[in-house]
Amino acid sequence: MITEAFLRDISVILGNDRVLYDMQSRIRSSRDAYARWNVVPDTKIVDAVAFPSSTEEVVQLVSLARSYSVPLVPRGGGTGLMGAAISRCGGLAIELKGLDQIFNINREDRTVQVQSGVILEHLNQALENHGLMLGHDPYSVPIATVGGTISTNSVGYRAGRYGAMGAQVLALEVVLASGEVLRTRATSLPSIGPDLNRLFVGSEGSFGIITEATLRVFSTPEDRIFQTFSFPSFG
């Protein structure tokens, strides 16, 4: 259970306008896109919702939650279908859509460095200006975030050509439960040691909160063919 002292300390970090604890906001941040999970009896509504806009603010929230023993639920666009963004013991939901900066698009290397709250549709629009595109194209492109799709290792319509979202991750910035920040290097083929990116891809926020990512992107095709199919009638 979140205490008044905890809420006061969050307000010092974020200000009152970026900490919500009204019932409507709490319910909205306690569900994902799979309606069946909304009525699972052993899930609970989060006690408050925080909206950080930087890695440093996420670090402060994680450190504060650790000191008060408050559970955290990191959230992206909330379009997941597996219940990963649902709380089982209340706590604090950390909405990451405020981390929405695109730092660097490198056409020559075909990479992009972004914060985890960037929406896929917005990223694709920015890449189009450079003749590039994201190799991930799920149904939820207008809503899903970079961090959310990495955390769930999301598979989209282009997965047959480019692989799941995790296959496109070159580097990550992650806030660990200790409040420390882990940054991996953007290398396509690490030569020695474990690939730490794999630890966080698909982990659904259980090992850390992804705040930034460097992704492999691809050249836009010179031509595209859109084909429609008609199905036979069985009536």
Side-chain angles (χ1 to χ4, degrees):
M1 183 68 180
I2 287 181
T3 64
E4 291 186 7
F6 180 75
L7 291 176
R8 285 197 300 269
D9 288 345
I10 293 180
S11 297
V12 172
I13 297 172
L14 300 180
N16 293 324
D17 59 331
R18 289 193 286 146
V19 185
L20 302 178
Y21 38 89
D22 62 282
M23 183 58 69
Q24 183 177 0
S25 298
R26 290 164 56 198
I27 292 175
R28 185 172 55 249
S29 294
S30 299
R31 298 176 174 176
D32 68 3
Y34 194 12
R36 182 174 73 85
W37 290 90
N38 296 341
V39 293
V40 172
D42 60 347
T43 60
K44 294 184 178 180
I45 297 172
V46 295
D47 300 298
V49 187
F51 295 84
S53 60
S54 68
T55 297
E56 180 54 36
E57 289 181 344
V58 175
V59 168
Q60 293 180 63
L61 289 175
V62 169
S63 300
L64 183 65
R66 180 182 177 88
S67 67
Y68 279 90
S69 298
V70 171
L72 299 176
V73 182
R75 289 179 54 85
T79 61
L81 299 173
M82 301 302 293
I86 294 177
S87 172
R88 300 194 64 174
C89 51
L92 177 69
I94 299 183
E95 294 279 359
L96 296 162
K97 290 188 287 291
L99 280 71
D100 58 358
Q101 298 299 307
I102 300 173
F103 294 123
N104 182 44
I105 297 175
N106 191 318
R107 179 177 171 82
E108 183 176 351
D109 292 341
R110 286 184 292 183
T111 63
V112 61
Q113 181 185 5
V114 297
Q115 287 184 306
S116 62
V118 172
I119 295 174
L120 298 186
E121 185 175 64
H122 298 167
L123 178 55
N124 263 323
Q125 291 170 351
L127 290 171
E128 285 177 0
N129 296 327
H130 300 267
L132 299 170
M133 70 175 190
L134 191 63
H136 185 53
D137 186 31
Y139 80 97
S140 54
V141 162
I143 307 171
T145 63
V146 169
T149 52
I150 294 173
S151 294
T152 55
N153 200 17
S154 174
V155 175
Y157 299 115
R158 297 172 183 165
R161 175 65 178 87
Y162 303 111
M165 185 62 166
Q168 300 166 44
V169 173
L170 295 175
L172 292 174
E173 178 185 83
V174 184
V175 179
L176 306 178
S178 62
E180 298 172 284
V181 179
L182 171 69
R183 296 181 178 89
T184 64
R185 293 184 178 182
T187 56
S188 57
L189 293 172
S191 58
I192 59 173
D195 184 355
L196 294 178
N197 293 330
R198 301 300 103 190
L199 184 64
F200 302 101
V201 170
S203 68
E204 299 180 345
S206 58
F207 296 143
I209 299 177
I210 297 172
T211 53
E212 190 178 307
T214 300
L215 304 175
R216 179 185 290 109
V217 293
F218 305 90
S219 298
T220 303
E222 294 182 3
D223 192 19
R224 296 183 181 182
I225 298 175
F226 297 93
Q227 187 172 359
T228 59
F229 296 90
S230 60
F231 295 91
S233 174
F234 295 97

